[in-house]
Amino acid sequence: MGENSLARRGHEGPTPSPVIDAWIAHDRPVTVAIVALASFEIINAAYGRDTGDALLKVAIDRLGRVLSATDDLELSREGAVFTLALPLPFEAAHPLIAAIEFALAQPFAVGATTVHVGTRIGVASGQGEEAEALVARARAALADARVLEGATTRIAPPAPHRPIAQLAADLHRAIERDEIAVLFQPQVAFGNGRIEGVEALARWNHPELGELGAQTLLAASDRADLGLVLSDHILARALASAAGWSDALKHLRVAVNVTAADLSRPDFAARFLARVDTSGIARARVTAEITEGGLIDDLDGATELLATLRDGGCRVAIDDFGTGYSSLAYLTALPVDYLKIDLRLTQSIVGDRRHRAVVEGVIAIANALGLETIAEGVETEEQRALLEARGCTYYQGFLCSAALDSATLARLVGVA
């Protein structure tokens, strides 16, 4: 399978989640490998776009040769990042992944130039796991591969298979035992390239299953009816961490997630502002992020609560904008400062013309309303450049960094 054949089998744009879902529906094991050319952006900048494009063609041809004998696969590409999905358990997929790593580690002869690129690969395998969760685990493994020393391929730990009812029971003890940690993902300004804010993200350090992400944590909290307790716990942890930051981090805005259950509390705004004041962090540094869905049930009530937060000195963002129940009518009425562009739109703007048009529209609307925009899930330089050209204000994603603890964040900001 050479380049032309591979192009027919694969595609540019988002990860082939519908194909993975079809394999899962037939109870087939699935392995996802996300392959990033490690030094591509540096080479692109040093030698020019033409050299970068030629290098990508060589990389695609090498992938085609490695995968030539494999008929059942799906491959997508966004910039210099390839997502390979195979209906195989990890043991059967591993030889192909190792062959890809070896093939892309060899020097690239591009015209008169010879360059070494190398790879970073994140791998996740599962059976019966939703495609989005499987790909998310592979992305997290890739993030580890990019920042940790040692092997260039990182294997994601197995997905938790404990019944959600048991996880819900575990969560009661997790909060008591302080197993819920808060990490911070940087938000970078397009204008100057500086890290100017962070989003606080919860992680559950389960004593038996290891680190569990927000999706599993929220599902368990819903089952255990602990949503409000968990939300209070995460807010307190995030604010306490930020209040204790060194001078190098004291300029950063801190965004915290607010759930629909939070908004259902009549006294939510007063409790939120009181919690901020108790922490000692300035209100102007705190942003409340609310998903679109959380605004729908009681728009008038949500508008009043958000107005109280903004009048009190905090900022407000609508999270995952563009994928829910977006209404221009309520958007003009809500007191907000930022629109966050959902990562599923961000990660498909390079190869998907329709998604790119939606993102351009969101940015244009935000600019017209005097709002700033934050693009989530930016992983490639192509995505970053396209968003900057359209006037997006900030981005967050693996192109800068995964979510970090406070000490690692301080080191990153110190060299950013």
Side-chain angles (χ1 to χ4, degrees), residues 214-299:
Q215 185 176 11
T216 301
L217 181 57
L218 292 176
S221 69
D222 287 343
R223 182 64 176 266
D225 196 23
L226 288 173
L228 294 177
V229 174
L230 179 64
S231 184
D232 281 344
H233 180 77
I234 294 170
L235 176 61
R237 287 292 304 270
L239 293 176
S241 294
W245 282 345
S246 64
D247 290 342
L249 302 180
K250 286 190 179 298
H251 68 285
L252 297 181
R253 293 177 292 100
V254 181
V256 292
N257 289 288
V258 173
T259 67
D262 290 325
L263 292 178
S264 69
R265 291 172 163 177
D267 62 344
F268 163 71
R271 291 169 61 97
F272 187 95
L273 292 172
R275 179 76 78 176
V276 173
D277 291 343
T278 299
S279 73
I281 189 173
R283 290 182 178 184
R285 289 178 56 202
V286 179
T287 300
E289 289 192 2
I290 299 96
T291 59
E292 286 187 65
L295 301 167
I296 302 306
D297 292 339
D298 183 8
L299 183 58

Side-chain angles (χ1 to χ4, degrees), residues 35-385:
V35 182
L37 298 181
S39 306
F40 178 76
E41 305 303 343
I42 296 173
I43 290 167
N44 220 12
Y47 296 99
R49 185 66 178 264
D50 290 343
T51 297
D53 290 345
L55 189 153
L56 274 178
K57 290 180 180 179
V58 176
I60 292 170
D61 186 60
R62 290 184 185 180
L63 280 173
R65 289 197 296 271
V66 170
L67 301 172
S68 61
T70 306
D71 294 325
D72 203 2
L73 64 86
E74 284 293 324
L75 185 73
S76 62
R77 179 177 72 87
E78 291 187 82
V81 179
F82 301 84
T83 299
L84 171 66
L86 298 158
L88 298 170
F90 173 73
E91 293 76 12
H94 180 259
L96 280 174
I97 296 169
I100 289 172
E101 180 180 357
F102 178 80
L104 297 180
Q106 306 311 305
F108 284 77
V110 182
T113 303
T114 300
V115 294
H116 291 78
V117 180
T119 60
R120 293 291 184 270
I121 304 175
V123 183
S125 296
Q127 188 164 358
E129 184 178 0
E130 291 185 1
E132 186 173 340
L134 188 63
V135 173
R137 289 201 297 116
R139 286 200 181 106
L142 175 62
D144 287 343
R146 281 171 160 160
V147 300
L148 298 178
E149 298 294 334
T152 58
T153 297
R154 303 289 295 187
I155 313 300
H161 291 294
R162 182 167 298 202
I164 193 66
Q166 182 59 53
L167 284 173
D170 293 346
L171 186 57
H172 283 274
R173 294 185 292 272
I175 295 175
E176 296 171 0
R177 297 172 180 173
D178 205 25
E179 295 172 3
I180 310 300
V182 175
L183 303 178
F184 300 92
Q185 184 165 45
Q187 297 174 334
V188 184
F190 279 107
N192 57 24
R194 293 184 60 208
I195 297 172
E196 297 192 356
V198 293
E199 179 183 0
L201 299 171
R203 295 292 185 270
W204 182 359
N205 296 313
H206 195 285
E208 298 175 27
L209 302 175
E211 184 178 285
L212 305 179
Q215 185 176 11
T216 301
L217 181 57
L218 292 176
S221 69
D222 287 343
R223 182 64 176 266
D225 196 23
L226 288 173
L228 294 177
V229 174
L230 179 64
S231 184
D232 281 344
H233 180 77
I234 294 170
L235 176 61
R237 287 292 304 270
L239 293 176
S241 294
W245 282 345
S246 64
D247 290 342
L249 302 180
K250 286 190 179 298
H251 68 285
L252 297 181
R253 293 177 292 100
V254 181
V256 292
N257 289 288
V258 173
T259 67
D262 290 325
L263 292 178
S264 69
R265 291 172 163 177
D267 62 344
F268 163 71
R271 291 169 61 97
F272 187 95
L273 292 172
R275 179 76 78 176
V276 173
D277 291 343
T278 299
S279 73
I281 189 173
R283 290 182 178 184
R285 289 178 56 202
V286 179
T287 300
E289 289 192 2
I290 299 96
T291 59
E292 286 187 65
L295 301 167
I296 302 306
D297 292 339
D298 183 8
L299 183 58
D300 290 339
T303 301
E304 183 178 348
L305 289 173
L306 300 187
T308 301
L309 291 183
R310 292 187 80 235
D311 291 344
C314 294
R315 300 184 185 186
V316 175
I318 298 180
D319 200 6
D320 298 336
F321 191 80
T323 60
Y325 306 94
S326 307
S327 164
L328 299 185
Y330 81 66
L331 179 58
T332 57
L334 287 169
V336 299
D337 301 281
Y338 307 99
L339 297 183
K340 295 196 72 178
I341 302 169
D342 183 75
L343 63 87
R344 287 163 290 186
L345 291 173
T346 298
Q347 292 175 353
S348 60
I349 58 175
V350 173
D352 190 312
R353 179 173 52 84
R354 291 178 179 239
H355 283 189
R356 184 163 61 250
V358 171
V359 171
E360 290 171 348
V362 170
I363 294 173
I365 291 168
N367 289 340
L369 294 175
L371 307 178
E372 296 184 295
T373 45
I374 304 172
E376 297 183 288
V378 176
E379 296 184 355
T380 70
E381 179 61 28
E382 285 184 90
Q383 293 167 354
R384 190 209 63 78

